[in-house]
Amino acid sequence: MEGGVPEADMSAFRECLSLSWKNPYVLRLAFSAGIGGLLFGYDTGVISGALLYIRDDFKAVDRKTWLQEAIVSTAIAGAILGAAVGGWLNDRFGRKVSIIVADTLFLLGSIVMAAAPSPAILLVGRVFVGIGVGMASMASPLYISEASPTRVRGALVSLNSFLITGGQFLSYLINLAFTKAPHPWRWMLGVAAAPAIIQIGLMLTLPESPRWLYRKGKEEEAKLILKKIYDVEDYDNEIQALKESVDMELKNTEKISMMQLVKTKSVRRGLYAGVGLAFFQQFTGINTVMYYSPSIVQLAGFASNRTALLLSLITSGLNAFGSILSIYFIDKTGRKKLALISLVGVVFSLTLLTITFREAEIRSPMVSVVESSSFNNTCPDFKTATMNNEKWNCMRCLKATSTTCGFCAAPDKLSPGACVISDGSMNSMCTNVHRAWYTRGCPSNFGWIALIGLALYIIFFSPGMGTVPWVVNSEIYPLRYRGICGGIASTTVWVSNLIVSQSFLSLTEAIGTAWTFMLFGIIAFIGIFFIIVFVPETKGVPIEEVENMLDRRSVQIKFWQKRDSGSEKQ
């Protein structure tokens, strides 16, 4: 990673594929460490489906939006702690140990969640899993980055992103598989124990990161590993560059402090780019889609839990497909261009979602007095409204404040329906007469357009902003600062994630789904200009050159011209 190489191009993708027969050892390292990404993806994705059934088993969860958000966001709070501790753990004990500790927490958290007798115990399990996710979010890409030949570094770190999205896709498949099981959410949450056990076994047979070993004075051990990773003609150059990098950092042996990070120009500017990318990755709303995808599908007008899970599987599959595209494009197009193309598409998609959900809210089916009274359990707020000659639609029914109310749709769904108190008996009574029961969203002609908007969002986000922040943060910092700076960036990811996920359902209730997506779109639009100004292109650039580039220039606007040996590196 420290050595100089030609600019990465389209051949990097082919070279990455050729590793399966040329150097399977490198792929073994990458895939084994990447299981941490799979667990990361599974545990962040599985809660979206499990939450639908947790609400059925625990009525307190069904009645309280904040408790639903807490079940999602306590894992993220744990991830903040895991990312913060993970930076220190990675530098002190190594990347391998950090991954094994993360797996142990995954395993413990999965067992606690699967056996949870109450929402409180479930929250404890979510915290354990979250700490593991936070550690894995930085340890896995760091291990892969430091154990990869430079030319395919971006592609192999993208492999970790693919396994994250693959884990999310797997979580939706598992969710669907257990919908008919008793207490399906317990099975959904408990399955994560299996890959955690597998990765612990694999990591125990693998070496530590050679760059971490070299920095800790275990030079001979590091050289043996690097000989397995690099071709003969590249090995000597890599060792020399690594030696120079370590010698340079050892000249300054004082303890790293935040003040030192701020004073070091290249590190400070790298943090601008890395932390900024982490911020915009989350505040464009990606994890609201991944955590609440079935709920969003229900908001779009699809009432059934199983239907919501099945349709969410499409967006999750597209997310995994987008990660495959990123493996191809990350070293062909470059990090910066790919992020910009991604955000432009995200802005377009969020605009489409804003318009679609707004139209669905305006054209929501009306509530019929006759239909509502026929169920003998009319929503009290609706009764009061009819006395005042107010007309309600389905959206107004679901926002009733004195008690929780639901909408029993007419047979054709779009005609006036009934607004009644939401409880188990009314749900059964409505579905028994072959009508759809709505508590999260309303019947709409715009549901499929909303799904197209979600699909486009994922297609644009996943190959670019889904991957680029992780890749850039794994390669933009000097070796000595990489652990602590990676921890700062990962902590930013999870703090931002916590804020967005903890507020999403409350925002949709307070200002509506349409305006919530518009807010994400505005942030994505701002992100375009941030990337143009502050993010350097690190495609195929050795670490030392990234440092020099950041030392020379704080504003990185000139990014579109081709790099060549005679021009200044952009």
Side-chain angles (χ1 to χ4, degrees):
M1 173 166 198
E2 282 75 13
V5 293
E7 180 179 353
D9 56 21
M10 187 174 170
S11 64
F13 179 72
R14 293 194 295 268
E15 191 170 325
C16 185
L17 293 178
S18 72
L19 286 174
S20 57
W21 68 86
K22 285 174 59 180
N23 194 347
Y25 181 73
V26 173
L27 281 185
R28 180 187 168 200
L29 296 179
F31 272 105
S32 297
I35 294 175
L38 183 79
L39 281 164
F40 173 178
Y42 185 87
D43 281 301
T44 54
V46 71
I47 195 62
S48 63
L51 187 60
L52 302 180
Y53 297 94
I54 293 170
R55 292 192 311 227
D56 292 341
D57 277 11
F58 298 123
K59 294 304 177 186
V61 177
D62 187 47
R63 291 192 299 268
K64 299 174 181 176
T65 298
W66 69 266
L67 191 52
Q68 296 173 41
E69 291 172 328
I71 289 171
V72 171
S73 59
T74 46
I76 304 165
I80 294 171
L81 177 60
V85 173
W88 171 81
L89 195 68
N90 269 279
D91 283 343
R92 179 69 177 83
F93 298 103
R95 293 35 166 157
K96 174 181 173 179
V97 170
S98 297
I99 292 173
I100 292 174
V101 171
D103 284 327
T104 304
L105 290 165
F106 279 129
L107 178 60
L108 180 61
S110 298
I111 293 170
V112 171
M113 289 189 298
S118 68
I121 301 301
L122 179 61
L123 292 175
V124 173
R126 292 287 292 162
V127 170
F128 282 124
V129 165
I131 297 172
V133 166
M135 289 182 175
S137 70
M138 65 172 299
S140 291
L142 196 57
Y143 184 95
I144 295 170
S145 176
E146 295 184 346
S148 301
T150 310
R151 190 172 183 81
V152 294
R153 182 180 67 208
L156 288 178
V157 176
S158 294
L159 172 66
N160 183 68
S161 294
F162 165 67
L163 288 170
I164 292 174
T165 56
Q168 290 169 336
F169 181 72
L170 176 64
S171 72
Y172 283 95
L173 289 177
I174 296 294
N175 284 346
L176 277 171
F178 286 114
T179 52
K180 301 297 184 182
H183 308 290
W185 62 272
R186 298 187 184 277
W187 295 92
M188 295 170 182
L189 298 176
V191 164
I197 293 171
I198 292 170
Q199 189 176 35
I200 289 174
L202 288 173
M203 292 306 298
L204 289 173
T205 67
L206 294 178
E208 181 52 82
S209 158
R211 286 167 175 78
W212 183 86
L213 290 170
Y214 200 99
R215 181 171 177 265
K216 294 297 181 179
K218 301 179 181 180
E219 297 179 10
E220 294 305 315
E221 189 177 345
K223 289 177 180 179
L224 288 175
I225 300 167
L226 288 170
K227 281 182 179 178
K228 296 180 181 180
I229 294 173
Y230 281 90
D231 295 335
V232 175
E233 60 270 21
D234 296 328
Y235 172 76
D236 289 337
N237 290 337
E238 186 66 23
I239 289 294
Q240 183 59 33
L242 181 58
K243 182 178 184 301
E244 291 173 0
S245 177
V246 172
D247 287 346
M248 186 180 299
E249 78 166 65
L250 289 179
K251 290 179 181 178
N252 187 4
T253 57
E254 73 271 15
K255 186 178 179 181
I256 298 173
S257 65
M258 285 303 298
M259 186 59 66
Q260 185 180 348
L261 293 180
V262 172
K263 287 182 177 180
T264 306
K265 188 188 297 183
S266 61
V267 176
R268 183 176 69 248
R269 291 172 176 173
L271 282 170
Y272 291 161
V275 171
L277 281 170
F279 173 88
F280 284 106
Q281 182 191 59
Q282 297 303 312
F283 274 93
T284 50
I286 179 58
N287 280 312
T288 62
V289 176
M290 300 319 300
Y291 295 146
Y292 298 112
S293 185
S295 297
I296 294 172
V297 170
Q298 289 185 331
L299 287 170
F302 299 91
S304 162
N305 282 356
R306 187 173 178 82
T307 300
L309 282 173
L310 188 61
L311 292 174
S312 297
L313 189 63
I314 298 172
T315 59
S316 182
L318 288 172
N319 198 24
F321 176 71
S323 294
I324 296 174
L325 290 180
S326 75
I327 297 174
Y328 176 82
F329 283 110
I330 194 77
D331 283 322
K332 171 180 169 60
T333 305
R335 287 67 158 139
K336 184 167 186 170
K337 295 177 188 176
L338 194 57
L340 284 171
I341 294 167
S342 175
L343 278 180
V344 170
V346 165
V347 170
F348 170 78
S349 306
L350 289 170
T351 301
L352 177 61
L353 285 169
T354 298
I355 295 170
T356 301
F357 275 100
R358 183 57 184 160
E359 285 296 309
E361 290 170 5
I362 293 171
R363 302 175 189 277
S364 174
M366 300 303 295
V367 175
S368 164
V369 176
V370 175
E371 289 281 332
S372 300
S373 60
S374 67
F375 285 93
N376 297 319
N377 203 9
T378 304
C379 178
D381 284 4
F382 176 63
K383 283 183 178 179
T384 303
T386 55
M387 293 177 188
N388 297 325
N389 294 318
E390 295 179 22
K391 293 188 177 181
W392 274 25
N393 61 14
C394 170
M395 293 301 297
R396 184 69 187 84
C397 171
L398 300 187
K399 292 180 179 180
T401 55
S402 65
T403 188
T404 303
C405 297
F407 183 77
C408 183
D412 67 356
K413 292 189 178 180
L414 297 179
S415 296
C419 182
V420 292
I421 294 174
S422 177
D423 57 32
S425 62
M426 288 308 305
N427 185 346
S428 300
M429 191 179 301
C430 181
T431 54
N432 285 341
V433 293
H434 308 292
R435 297 188 180 193
W437 173 250
Y438 293 85
T439 57
R440 305 292 163 187
C442 293
S444 171
N445 280 330
F446 300 95
W448 289 105
I449 301 176
L451 288 180
I452 291 171
L454 283 174
L456 287 173
Y457 175 90
I458 292 295
I459 289 170
F460 281 114
F461 184 94
S462 182
M465 286 301 290
T467 299
V468 169
W470 299 111
V471 174
V472 170
N473 275 291
S474 73
E475 62 191 11
I476 200 171
Y477 310 114
L479 178 60
R480 182 166 187 258
Y481 300 99
R482 204 172 301 163
I484 190 168
C485 290
I488 291 170
S490 292
T491 302
T492 302
V493 167
W494 293 112
V495 170
S496 303
N497 192 339
L498 175 63
I499 293 170
V500 172
S501 61
Q502 180 64 29
S503 61
F504 176 70
L505 291 180
S506 297
L507 271 175
T508 59
E509 289 186 357
I511 65 175
T513 309
W515 304 130
T516 303
F517 281 122
M518 185 183 73
L519 184 61
F520 293 145
I522 292 171
I523 294 171
F525 186 73
I526 296 170
I528 293 172
F529 293 95
F530 172 85
I531 290 173
I532 289 174
V533 174
F534 291 107
V535 178
E537 180 55 77
T538 57
K539 163 187 158 185
V541 181
I543 292 298
E544 293 79 12
E545 188 175 327
V546 174
E547 289 184 62
N548 293 334
M549 177 171 56
L550 291 172
D551 273 329
R552 292 193 305 267
R553 179 183 300 162
S554 61
V555 176
Q556 308 289 329
I557 293 177
K558 294 182 180 179
F559 64 93
W560 212 261
Q561 69 183 60
K562 291 184 67 174
R563 296 173 66 247
D564 58 64
S565 58
S567 64
E568 181 186 15
K569 306 297 183 188
Q570 297 294 321

